[in-house]
Amino acid sequence: QHAHLRQPSALIRTAAPSPRRMRRVLTTVLLLQDGASAFTQPPIAHNRAKPPVAARSHGASAFTHPRPLIAHHAKALGAARSQGPAASAPQQQATTAAAVLGLCSQPIMWWSLYTLKTTGCGLPAGPFGLLGAAEGVSYLVVIGFVAAALLSKATSGSGLPAGPGGLLGAAEGLSFLTAIAGLVVLGFQFQDYGYLPEAVPVQGGICTRQLS
């Protein structure tokens, strides 16, 4: 009977966990609790400002709908390349002034070439030499446009930009046509008259004698 009474107490003593095992269990429970709190607690706020809702949704759409976004950026990039780099206001004004000067020089040079073809001499000096000065300036402007366009073609692979309203491109195209017409008239000048008139009227020159 005493043996039967002692047997349960022995079982209790053997079944009771040791202090070392209790510490291990407590350590494991604490570690599991800390790991669970790392997932449940909100992240630590940083000083970095959150992007607006529109920016976050736009970034998310980049992964959900990539093709429309890529097409949009490609279209914007192509438009920026076609327009060229943005120019400042003074640069745009200078470009517009150069284009207007180039366009105004075309009819003066056409008149000069027609006069040269029919009379063998250019335009007369006019009052105070203004007409002759305008003729000389028109030749220089046309030659300058052609030279600038050829230089731009050689360095960048394309001619002059279109400019505001396409005026600069129009002046470039007309300058090439006028220059070709000038070469043709120059050939007829040597064939018909056998001389090239002086660029600036001088005393005793060929065209000066004809006018006198």
Side-chain angles (χ1 to χ4, degrees):
Q1 182 178 3
H2 290 291
H4 289 293
L5 291 174
R6 287 194 299 268
Q7 187 174 2
S9 61
L11 290 175
I12 293 173
R13 285 196 301 270
T14 56
S18 62
R20 172 185 264 177
R21 186 173 183 183
M22 288 294 295
R23 286 196 297 270
R24 290 181 180 177
V25 171
L26 289 175
T27 303
T28 305
V29 170
L30 291 175
L31 291 175
L32 291 176
Q33 185 177 2
D34 292 340
S37 64
F39 292 98
T40 56
Q41 291 181 356
I44 300 175
H46 298 282
N47 294 330
R48 185 183 304 172
K50 292 184 179 181
V53 178
R56 292 199 300 270
S57 62
H58 181 72
S61 65
F63 295 96
T64 56
H65 305 285
R67 290 183 178 179
L69 185 63
I70 293 174
H72 172 72
H73 287 300
K75 185 177 180 180
L77 182 60
R81 287 180 177 177
S82 63
Q83 293 177 358
S88 60
Q91 186 176 358
Q92 288 183 353
Q93 293 175 359
T95 303
T96 304
V100 171
L101 181 62
L103 293 175
C104 293
S105 299
Q106 307 302 321
I108 299 176
M109 189 168 173
W110 297 339
W111 183 17
S112 173
L113 292 177
Y114 173 77
T115 307
L116 182 62
K117 176 64 176 65
T118 54
T119 64
C121 293
L123 298 177
F128 304 103
L130 296 178
L131 190 57
E135 178 186 18
V137 170
S138 66
Y139 273 83
L140 292 178
V141 170
V142 170
I143 294 174
F145 264 94
V146 172
L150 292 177
L151 181 61
S152 177
K153 186 70 175 179
T155 55
S156 63
S158 60
L160 298 178
L167 296 178
L168 194 64
E172 177 189 5
L174 291 176
S175 296
F176 272 97
L177 294 178
T178 304
I180 295 174
L183 293 177
V184 173
V185 172
L186 182 62
F188 282 111
Q189 177 72 18
F190 282 108
Q191 180 180 354
D192 297 340
Y193 301 98
Y195 64 89
L196 184 64
E198 59 272 6
V200 179
V202 293
Q203 189 68 27
I206 299 177
C207 293
T208 306
R209 290 199 305 267
Q210 289 184 3
L211 291 176
S212 61

